[in-house]
Amino acid sequence: MKIPIDDLVPAYKDCIFRTAFSMTRNAADAEDIVQETFYQYIVTTRDFENEEHIKAWLLRTAINKAKNIRISFWSQKRVSLPDSMWGTSPQISDDQRLIKAVLSLPTKYRIVIHLYYYEDYSVNEISQLVRATPSAVKNRLLRARRMLKDKLKEDWHDDE
């Protein structure tokens, strides 16, 4: 089974973008990953079992491409501009704080949080996507939740 690319792009581009952005923390890199993932789908000769299999393959491909970008020379040498260069930052909402806190997590925790809460994958499905045991995924979720709790509590106290 192979679904036409014209049907796949509208259905999965946002999901792939969010997953890629979650790992790279860079919109331009995430957009590149979306394009490369769909290109990889076009050129693959693989036959898929069903649409869920295609979605899992697309996400696995995007995760691998994001890992490649993260370990590349250019990515490791990238430096962010300090917030002070842009002047004072406007007040951010609680949703923005949560997103910022999730993005501040180490990658192995950030990706499981993203897949579990934003993409509604089960622990078993995540374990297949990230190639880890279900117990490792549960531990990562637990640790990520603790980190987020500490981070958000810290941000909340800073506002007072």
Side-chain angles (χ1 to χ4, degrees):
M1 171 184 184
K2 197 150 180 188
I3 297 175
I5 193 72
D6 293 339
D7 296 336
L8 281 182
V9 171
Y12 296 114
K13 69 178 179 173
D14 293 338
C15 173
I16 294 170
F17 178 84
R18 288 188 306 263
T19 301
F21 184 78
S22 165
M23 291 188 69
T24 62
R25 293 184 264 183
N26 183 299
D29 287 342
E31 289 172 2
D32 289 346
I33 290 168
V34 170
Q35 290 179 10
E36 291 172 17
T37 300
F38 284 121
Y39 174 75
Q40 197 70 39
Y41 176 80
I42 291 169
V43 298
T44 191
T45 58
R46 184 178 190 149
D47 193 32
F48 298 96
E49 298 168 13
N50 53 35
E51 189 169 349
E52 277 301 312
H53 185 213
I54 293 171
K55 182 180 179 184
W57 184 89
L58 289 169
L59 284 173
R60 180 75 242 159
T61 302
I63 289 168
N64 287 338
K65 291 187 178 302
K67 285 180 181 177
N68 291 343
I69 286 177
R70 272 198 5 253
I71 62 173
S72 72
F73 172 79
W74 295 110
S75 179
Q76 292 178 4
K77 302 302 178 193
R78 183 180 299 151
V79 178
S80 297
L81 294 174
D83 291 337
S84 61
M85 288 190 66
W86 303 107
T88 59
S89 60
Q91 294 295 326
I92 57 175
S93 70
D94 289 339
D95 288 342
Q96 291 170 321
R97 280 193 178 107
L98 178 60
I99 291 169
K100 187 176 178 182
V102 169
L103 290 175
S104 72
L105 293 174
T107 304
K108 70 181 184 178
Y109 301 116
R110 188 171 57 241
I111 191 67
V112 295
I113 288 287
H114 174 78
L115 292 172
Y116 189 79
Y117 288 106
Y118 296 104
E119 302 301 333
D120 293 326
Y121 277 97
S122 69
V123 169
N124 289 332
E125 292 169 329
I126 295 170
S127 71
Q128 292 173 349
L129 288 171
V130 300
R131 295 192 176 132
T133 64
S135 62
V137 171
K138 287 178 186 176
N139 282 331
R140 288 178 189 177
L141 282 168
L142 179 67
R143 290 180 183 145
R145 288 181 193 122
R146 285 181 186 156
M147 287 183 217
L148 286 172
K149 181 180 176 184
D150 292 343
K151 178 69 177 157
L152 292 172
K153 196 181 296 184
E154 178 182 298
D155 287 349
W156 185 73
H157 288 300
D158 287 347
D159 287 347
E160 292 179 348

